Amino acid sequence: ALARVTGRSPAPPLPPPPPAFPIAVAAAATVALVVAALFIMVGRRRKENVLASVLASSWRVANVALLPVLLLTVAEPRASPLLLGVMAVASLGAASCLIGTASLRPVKSAPPSRALSAPSPTPDDCGGGMATPDELAVIYAVKHSLRQSPPPPNLPEDGKVVAVQLLRVVREHGTDARAVERVYRRALAWKRDNLPDKPELDALAESRWLCAAEMPHGEWAVGHWPIGFHCGYSKSGSPVKLERLGACAPPSDTKLLYPYYLALVDTLQRRLDRTSVTSGRLQQTYELFDLAGLGTCSLVDF
């Protein structure tokens, strides 16, 4: 009737509203996928590989279920483009996170890259247990590496002395085994290139304390630089060394003083290492400096 009056043909009836089921399911699946991705990333940061593996396995199932739902949604002619775009971006972002963790498997933790492998250490390897368990492990690993690779030519034959020397390096430089070995090798190389050759004194230092006059050029040096190499022990049991700087009279030619003092310091270290092994306590020394008589002229001479 309206067409006869107006002369216009009636508008075609509107199609029924699209069912919300495919879009709702796709949206729910997308949200679930994003939540799974977040859980996996958190599990990965916390190193919870078991949870990450379970969720990553469920990602394959989610792919199978999500793909047809997304296809149904795209096929829906009246689906909102904005909603489809948001869902596609969220799905791709979640997939990129999940794909990176889909291959996670519980694995055994590898040893630190800086560690050196070695047999199980025992307290006897460090002179009676002076080191903590962590220090002992580093010391024993470095000792094992020194024996396996070409050993330094001046490496002490007594393993307990080596352990005491390494313990001093560990206390100063930390528990990085490779760094400890590097520092120790460098120290041995410096001694080899700079210390005077004194095999007789080294042998004596294994059994007793020496005096300054027994060092190379010692009888001459003590007249210019009086040093009490071993003047007894402190109340805590540490040996005491005394240097009378105020009584020093430096000679015009000081070339002979260098080998004298280097030999004295090295002999002192040998005695401290040997005493540490025999006493079971990391031995140190007290050094006293007597400044009586020290003036500006003495400082200029030095």
Side-chain angles (χ1 to χ4, degrees):
L2 180 64
R4 287 195 300 269
V5 173
T6 60
R8 299 178 183 177
S9 59
L14 296 176
F21 175 74
I23 296 179
V25 172
T30 303
V31 171
L33 189 61
V34 173
V35 171
L38 293 176
F39 267 101
I40 287 182
M41 287 188 294
V42 172
R44 190 178 184 183
R45 289 192 177 184
R46 294 182 180 178
K47 299 183 179 179
E48 298 172 358
N49 291 340
V50 176
L51 175 62
S53 298
V54 172
L55 293 177
S57 299
S58 64
W59 152 246
R60 296 179 177 88
V61 180
N63 267 337
V64 177
L66 182 63
L67 184 58
V69 174
L70 288 179
L71 290 177
L72 286 175
T73 306
V74 173
E76 177 61 41
R78 293 181 179 273
S80 170
L82 178 60
L83 176 61
L84 293 178
V86 171
M87 291 171 58
V89 171
S91 299
L92 291 176
S96 63
C97 296
L98 290 172
I99 290 174
T101 58
S103 60
L104 285 177
R105 294 292 185 272
V107 294
K108 296 181 179 179
S109 59
S113 58
R114 293 178 178 270
L116 300 173
S117 59
S120 300
T122 61
D124 291 338
D125 294 310
C126 194
M130 289 174 282
T132 64
D134 291 341
E135 292 171 340
L136 182 60
V138 174
I139 290 168
Y140 200 69
V142 175
K143 283 178 59 180
H144 182 73
S145 178
L146 289 171
R147 302 296 185 187
Q148 294 297 320
S149 55
N154 55 340
L155 182 68
E157 296 182 1
D158 191 336
K160 292 184 177 182
V161 172
V162 175
V164 169
Q165 294 178 354
L166 289 174
L167 178 57
R168 299 185 191 277
V169 179
V170 170
R171 294 280 172 88
E172 182 177 357
H173 295 277
T175 55
D176 185 337
R178 296 189 184 278
V180 169
E181 181 180 358
R182 183 169 58 253
V183 171
Y184 186 67
R185 285 181 177 273
R186 189 162 59 240
L188 291 179
W190 186 91
K191 290 181 180 181
R192 180 195 60 215
D193 297 337
N194 295 275
L195 291 181
D197 188 23
K198 49 181 181 54
E200 297 83 4
L201 291 180
D202 295 342
L204 291 175
E206 293 294 320
S207 58
R208 67 176 180 86
W209 287 94
L210 282 72
C211 66
E214 294 179 272
M215 301 298 114
H217 317 292
E219 295 184 357
W220 168 83
V222 293
H224 299 277
W225 194 342
I227 295 179
F229 186 66
H230 179 51
C231 301
Y233 294 91
S234 67
K235 291 183 178 180
S236 61
S238 299
V240 177
K241 173 173 167 282
L242 174 63
E243 295 194 24
R244 301 186 182 279
L245 297 181
C248 287
S252 56
D253 188 1
T254 59
K255 292 181 180 179
L256 297 181
L257 286 178
Y258 297 122
Y260 158 75
Y261 197 76
L262 289 176
L264 186 144
V265 173
D266 181 64
T267 303
L268 175 61
Q269 179 187 349
R270 290 176 181 270
R271 279 306 302 159
L272 293 175
D273 293 342
R274 177 55 58 186
T275 306
S276 299
V277 171
T278 56
S279 66
R281 183 173 69 97
L282 189 61
Q283 193 69 261
Q284 297 177 327
T285 183
Y286 278 100
E287 296 202 17
L288 303 180
F289 296 92
D290 186 357
L291 305 182
L294 186 65
T296 56
C297 295
S298 302
L299 294 177
V300 172
D301 292 337
F302 276 106

